[in-house]
Structure formats: structure tokens, C-alpha cells
Amino acid sequence: YVASVYGKGDLHEKLCPWCIFSGLAHEKFGAYFADPYPLEKAGLSEDIVAEVTQRTPGYITWQQDEWASHCGDACAFLGDATKETLKSLAPAQRNSIFDGDDFDEKSWADFLSYYEPGGTPAIYHFRCLKCKVDVFNYDCS
């Protein structure tokens, strides 16, 4: 495991996915794999927050991770958004990635010309488990 771990000591590369999934890593080391604040702020239940933060592998980000939620539940993490996915977004959806900043067609095309999955800026792709809508988080170095 190489993504963020919050807890006692340096646990990177010492945890296996099965110990994360079972909750053993959290029980044994007090390890957390995502920041609970965004999920708590969204009003999600303690069980959902615990599932994401204590038993779900996190993802690598430039800044603090922010696990997306929708329809009163945590979303599934799908990885870095692909250029193809981003090209297919409607203007309102792509503008929501950047907190409502309005991208005209030229600005969006310019952004996509230098965007690369795994690079900076980063756009992380999530999907709502209930309504299947795609949700995106933006991050940069």
C-alpha cells in the first residue's frame, strides 16, 4: 500500500489491502486512509465514514484527499479522470469541478490540451453508488 496513511508511525508499504479491508490495519495501528471531515460535513452516517476512512484504501493526491459523496452516501473512487471522460462533460458539470468557475469552449480546450491523468492539475473521478452520476474533485500541486 503506497497511498496516504494517517496514524501512528510510518506505515507506508507495510500494509496489505486485505488488512485495510478487514479493518485490522485500523484496529492494530490506528490507521486512517482518508480524511473524515468532508464525509462528516456532508452529513454521512458514522458507519459510512468508518467504511471509507478505516477500511477503504485511499488515493494519491497532491493536497489533502477529499472523498466525494452524493445521495447521502460515499461515492466509488474510479481513479484519475481520463481526457475522454472530461471531453464528454456538459459545461455545467465541468464548471462544477472548479467550484463554478465558467470555462468557455476555448478555455476548456486549452485546459484539456495539457491535462494528463496522474499529473497536475489532477481531476479525480468518483461515481455515486445510488444514482450513478459522475462526481469529480480537482487538485493541483
Side-chain angles (χ1 to χ4, degrees):
Y1 180 74
V2 295
S4 297
V5 181
Y6 309 96
K8 301 172 189 167
D10 183 14
L11 299 173
H12 287 79
E13 300 180 16
K14 296 179 184 174
L15 300 174
C16 72
W18 298 275
C19 291
I20 296 169
F21 175 73
S22 71
L24 182 63
H26 173 73
E27 292 169 18
K28 188 172 182 178
F29 302 111
Y32 289 85
F33 304 96
D35 182 4
Y37 180 73
L39 302 170
E40 292 167 345
K41 184 179 173 189
L44 302 188
S45 73
E46 289 180 20
D47 290 342
I48 293 170
V49 173
E51 179 72 27
V52 172
T53 62
Q54 300 171 20
R55 295 184 300 281
T56 303
Y59 61 97
I60 297 171
T61 69
W62 292 106
Q63 307 296 324
Q64 180 69 42
D65 63 274
E66 187 169 327
W67 203 278
S69 63
H70 198 267
C71 291
D73 199 357
C75 292
F77 177 67
L78 302 180
D80 289 287
T82 65
K83 278 189 175 187
E84 293 75 27
T85 298
L86 296 176
K87 286 178 184 176
S88 71
L89 297 179
Q93 191 171 20
R94 67 185 184 215
N95 292 339
S96 72
I97 296 170
F98 303 96
D99 295 325
D101 288 346
D102 191 20
F103 275 80
D104 60 27
E105 294 304 317
K106 182 181 181 330
S107 298
W108 185 244
D110 288 346
F111 173 80
L112 289 177
S113 72
Y114 65 82
Y115 173 80
E116 289 296 330
T120 185
I123 299 179
Y124 306 111
H125 188 179
F126 293 83
R127 182 163 293 141
C128 179
L129 297 172
K130 294 182 179 176
C131 74
K132 308 302 182 202
V133 71
D134 290 325
V135 179
F136 300 90
N137 284 346
Y138 170 80
D139 191 20
C140 62
S141 62

